[in-house]
Structure formats: C-alpha cells, structure tokens
Amino acid sequence: MTYNTGINWDKARALFEAEKQAFVANMPKSRELSALAGEHLLFGVPLHWMNDWSTPFSLYVDQAKGARFKDVDGHNYVDFCLGDTGAMFGHAPAPVAEAVKRQAERGFTTMLPSEDAAWVGKELSRRFGLPYWQFAMTATDANRFAIRWARAATNRPKILIFNGCYHGTVDDVFVDLVDGVPTQRDSLLGQVYDLKQYTKVVEFNDLPALEAALAEGDVACVLAEPAMTNIGMVLPEPGYWEAAQKIIRKHGTLLLIDETHTISTGPGGYTKAFGLQPDLFVVGKPVGGGVPCAVYGFSEKIAAAAQSAKRNAPPGHSGIGTTLTANMLAMAAMRANLADVMTDSAYEYMFGLAKQLADGLRAVIDRHNLPWCVTQVGARTEFQFTQTPPKNGTEADRILVPELEHIIHLFLLNRGLLITPFHNMILVCPDTKADDVSRLVAAFEACIQHIKL
C-alpha cells in the first residue's frame, strides 16, 4: 500500500477468503440464478456494474420493504445502501406504493400532463426555491437536459466540472485531472470525440483554479454537487461556495447544482440548508420514492432565456426529453413522496440516526487507533481510510482502497448488513431503527478486530 491503513493485510485477505466461502455456502439459489443469467445477460447481470459488489456472484433479492430486504435464499438484511440513494426514504414507502397502485389502474403514460404535474411543480418551487421546473426519467438525463438549456441560454459551448465528480452517465463529465492535466477518462467506452474540447475540469475547493478556468468567458455552466459524494465524500471548505458563486456570477457563467445525493442534507437539499443560489438545479433518484424519475429547476432569469432560445430555434426536436418523461405513474409517485414521505420530521429522525452512526464509527476507529475518519452529509455517512478528510477529488481518489472496502463490505453482508458497494457510503431511512445502527457499528468493530495491525 502507498500509505498506512492500519490493517494487517495477511489477516485481511485470509478473512476475505473465509467470507467468500461462507457466502457461496449460504447462497445456493443466488448462485443458481447467477449461472442462469450468465447464459443470456451480458456479463451475467442486467447492468455490468452489478458485478462491482464484493460477492463471488450476484446476490438476488426477493423483496424489499422499508429498511429491509430478503434474498432469494431466505436471508434477511438491514439495508444501509438503499439503492445508492434511489430508495433513500425506504423501499416501497406506503404512501408511494398506494399512489402507484391507484395510478396503475388509471394509466401509465400518455405524453400528456396529469393533475399531479401542477401540484408537483408548485411543491418543487416551494421546497427548493426555483420557480420553474421540468422532468426527466433519471438524474443523468436531467443533468444532460439542463446542460443543453444552459448552453442554449448563454450561447456558450463549454461546461466546467470538478475533478472526480459524478453526474450519472452524462458524456461531458468524464474528464479527470491526472497530475494536474485534463485527461479523458480511460474507462469511458465507445467515446469518439475529445470531451476536452467542451469540458473544463478543476479541483473542488480551489478558488484560484475556478477563477482562471472561467476567465475566458466560454463556460455555459459549472456543474457541481455542493459536496462531492461519489469518489468518497469531499466537503466544501468554510466559505467556499460563497466565494465560488461570486466568481461564477462575475464571469457570466451559470451554476447548475446536482443534489441527487446531497438531498440527504435536508428537505430542500444542501442548497436550501446552506443558502446556495443556483441558476439550474437537479434532483434524481430519491424524489419519486424509488420510482424512476428526476426533476430539474430554473431560476426566473434562466427560465426566460431558455424559453426564448426554444421559441427562436428552428422547428424540430430540441434533443430534450423522452416520451416517458413526466409519465403519470412517476408524477403520482412524486406527489405522494413529496407530500407524505420526504418530510421535515422524516429528515429530523434520519439525522438523529446518522449522528448515532457517525459517533459509533468514530468511537470504533478511536478505540483501535486506526488512521481513518468519518464524514457526514445529513443522513449520509461514510468512513474513509485517512485521518484527515480529503479536500478534493485527487486526495479522495488517493485514499480509496477497493480491496479493503470489499473485505469490510462482504463481512457486513454475511451478517445481514448491506452498505453501498462504491467506497463506504452508508444511508439511514425513516424505517431504520436505532438497534439497526448499533448492530452495524458492532459488526464493523468485529471486522476491525479481525484485520487490524
């Protein structure tokens, strides 16, 4: 390893082998289904990244409800992954399930608005503070569409992102800084043009770099999570966003905030909690209570510019939207979730559990003198293999240890506790119990006792 993780790697690897054997022995039906899927599914799974889990083969789910799910072999789990935020408020929350059931008998999709659309638009405006909204099926599409509107509204070709960012599978964002040099990501499949022509990339928390990149006046929007989440959590330094927004405005660039993960911060997201003022705003996975949908909002000024751009454009397809966008089923789910699930009281409860979790993890780390830290964004908690939380994407990438992540994750999974396969992100939901959190902390400590130096 390039730095001290506080781990005895011989012990850790021996534990991993034992945990893999235990998984294989306990999951005959999942193993059978994995073999069957391998006959017809590319890579043996519905989406190739489903192989990124620490398991020897895929774990197959039978049913999921609240903070729990059961696999096809009959084992029960407490779910701290929650669909990597897609089910942030629990699986199949009752108000959403009832709304979907009612709507399913009245139609799924028509390419026409339903009554729910007007209610949802008004609620989004109240909750997030932007007056105008549009819809998508995923946060990826919402980000992609918002970028197009930003370019159309500003007549500028480029966007700016932060190194190590994640905004779904939007093509424009797969540019990293490698030794300070913008580099198209090697892992991007099938890309035929140079993304660096239209994408600038700087480090998060680096105000001089942001200023320099925007000074040329060719950037339509800065696309950012208010706190980075998908390379491991990277929090903004005190005063960063206040200064960054002044720089962005000074150069006539728009701010596009993606809250798909940081909606864990509160009912109005990080934006509302910390007083950010974006021109465009995206929320994806959680907004429909697990039903695929996403939303994106516009400030008054950008809404006017976007509408003007569309009205003055030649007739034909704008390249924005799909026939399933804002379908009646998704709108019914969003209305129920926003009204009855994604509430102030739900967040207050989750914050208490997340604090219990973060405090518990820190106590374990301290007891065993590990050079690790714990980072938290509302209901979202993560332990990281460094004493000092990372300040940017380069630092966050440097401390990732996938092998160690897999060992800990599989140990927890074999004890009925699921956390996210990508780094060490842990979510709680309104159905998570204090005892569930205590159980996770205890299992985490048991794993550490096996593998520490």
Side-chain angles (χ1 to χ4, degrees):
M1 312 307 293
T2 57
Y3 62 94
N4 174 32
T5 57
I7 294 304
N8 182 314
W9 281 99
D10 290 336
K11 291 181 180 179
R13 287 168 180 143
L15 178 65
F16 193 35
E17 289 306 313
E19 293 298 322
K20 286 193 287 187
Q21 291 175 23
F23 181 89
V24 171
N26 290 326
M27 306 294 177
K29 194 163 184 182
S30 277
R31 187 176 188 178
E32 179 186 342
L33 287 170
S34 290
L36 181 63
E39 297 177 9
H40 299 289
L41 300 182
L42 195 65
F43 302 104
V45 284
L47 287 170
H48 69 84
W49 52 255
M50 289 183 176
N51 283 328
D52 290 346
W53 295 88
S54 55
T55 55
F57 48 82
S58 292
L59 177 70
Y60 277 74
V61 175
D62 176 51
Q63 56 183 286
K65 178 67 177 175
R68 287 161 171 73
F69 71 92
K70 183 170 74 172
D71 69 25
V72 293
D73 287 291
H75 305 109
N76 293 300
Y77 302 82
V78 181
D79 190 355
F80 290 95
C81 170
L82 297 170
D84 190 23
T85 316
M88 194 180 90
F89 302 100
H91 297 289
V96 177
E98 287 299 318
V100 168
K101 181 180 177 181
R102 286 194 304 271
Q103 189 59 51
E105 297 174 347
R106 303 173 62 201
F108 298 167
T109 186
T110 61
M111 287 182 64
L112 292 167
S114 63
E115 182 180 343
D116 290 332
W119 187 96
V120 170
K122 183 177 181 179
E123 170 60 14
L124 292 172
S125 179
R126 181 200 69 81
R127 181 179 289 252
F128 297 114
L130 285 85
Y132 293 99
W133 292 84
Q134 290 281 269
F135 299 90
M137 289 300 295
T138 68
T140 290
D141 276 346
N143 280 313
R144 183 181 293 119
F145 301 158
I147 289 170
R148 294 183 74 97
W149 283 120
R151 285 171 166 157
T154 62
N155 288 312
R156 293 182 175 186
K158 298 184 180 182
I159 69 167
L160 183 142
I161 58 170
F162 292 107
N163 185 40
C165 71
Y166 180 76
H167 301 287
T169 56
V170 177
D171 290 351
D172 307 67
V173 305
F174 288 93
V175 180
D176 296 321
L177 283 177
V178 179
D179 297 325
V181 178
T183 305
Q184 189 161 300
R185 197 169 297 178
D186 290 338
S187 61
L188 186 59
L189 293 172
Q191 182 61 43
V192 297
Y193 67 87
D194 183 3
L195 296 175
K196 300 190 301 297
Q197 297 177 78
Y198 302 105
T199 300
K200 296 185 179 184
V201 56
V202 300
E203 293 286 12
F204 195 61
N205 282 318
D206 188 339
L207 292 169
L210 178 65
E211 176 90 58
L214 298 182
E216 294 179 51
D218 56 356
V219 175
C221 69
V222 172
L223 170 59
E225 292 183 288
M228 297 180 71
T229 63
N230 215 65
I231 196 166
M233 278 200 254
V234 181
L235 304 184
E237 294 183 328
Y240 173 74
W241 274 116
E242 182 181 3
Q245 289 180 109
K246 290 179 181 177
I247 292 170
I248 292 166
R249 290 191 203 98
K250 181 174 79 171
H251 294 291
T253 302
L254 307 182
L255 176 58
L256 166 51
I257 288 290
D258 179 358
E259 290 254 22
T260 299
H261 285 167
T262 56
I263 194 66
S264 62
T265 312
Y270 195 103
T271 293
K272 199 72 172 284
F274 290 92
L276 302 189
Q277 295 181 312
D279 302 286
L280 296 148
F281 179 95
V282 165
V283 181
K285 300 179 235 188
V287 74
V291 174
C293 55
V295 301
Y296 58 107
F298 302 74
S299 70
E300 189 89 39
K301 179 180 178 182
I302 302 311
Q307 290 178 93
S308 176
K310 172 58 182 167
R311 290 179 179 130
N312 292 326
H317 199 309
S318 66
I320 296 171
T322 66
T323 54
L324 288 175
T325 297
N327 67 77
M328 293 188 293
L329 201 66
M331 300 306 291
M334 275 190 279
R335 179 171 184 170
N337 191 60
L338 289 165
D340 299 319
V341 180
M342 199 171 166
T343 62
D344 291 2
S345 60
Y347 272 100
E348 185 177 353
Y349 176 77
M350 292 191 293
F351 292 162
L353 286 182
K355 184 179 186 304
Q356 177 191 341
L357 174 59
D359 289 346
L361 294 174
R362 289 189 183 104
V364 171
I365 289 166
D366 289 344
R367 273 197 296 274
H368 297 281
N369 297 312
L370 291 172
W372 301 0
C373 69
V374 176
T375 311
Q376 184 182 351
V377 177
R380 188 182 187 94
T381 307
E382 182 170 290
F383 59 93
Q384 295 174 293
F385 305 131
T386 177
Q387 286 182 304
T388 304
K391 295 180 180 179
N392 56 49
T394 294
E395 290 184 11
D397 182 64
R398 193 179 294 131
I399 63 167
L400 294 178
V401 188
E403 184 180 6
L404 180 53
E405 293 167 11
H406 281 183
I407 293 164
I408 297 171
H409 296 185
L410 185 56
F411 184 94
L412 296 174
L413 183 68
N414 280 342
R415 285 146 188 84
L417 301 158
L418 183 75
I419 69 173
T420 308
F422 318 114
H423 43 92
N424 302 308
M425 194 277 291
I426 306 167
L427 280 167
V428 294
C429 75
D431 292 295
T432 309
K433 308 301 181 188
D435 287 348
D436 298 331
V437 172
S438 297
R439 182 178 157 198
L440 177 62
V441 171
F444 175 73
E445 182 158 30
C447 183
I448 297 307
Q449 289 171 332
H450 280 287
I451 65 177
K452 68 178 182 177
L453 285 171

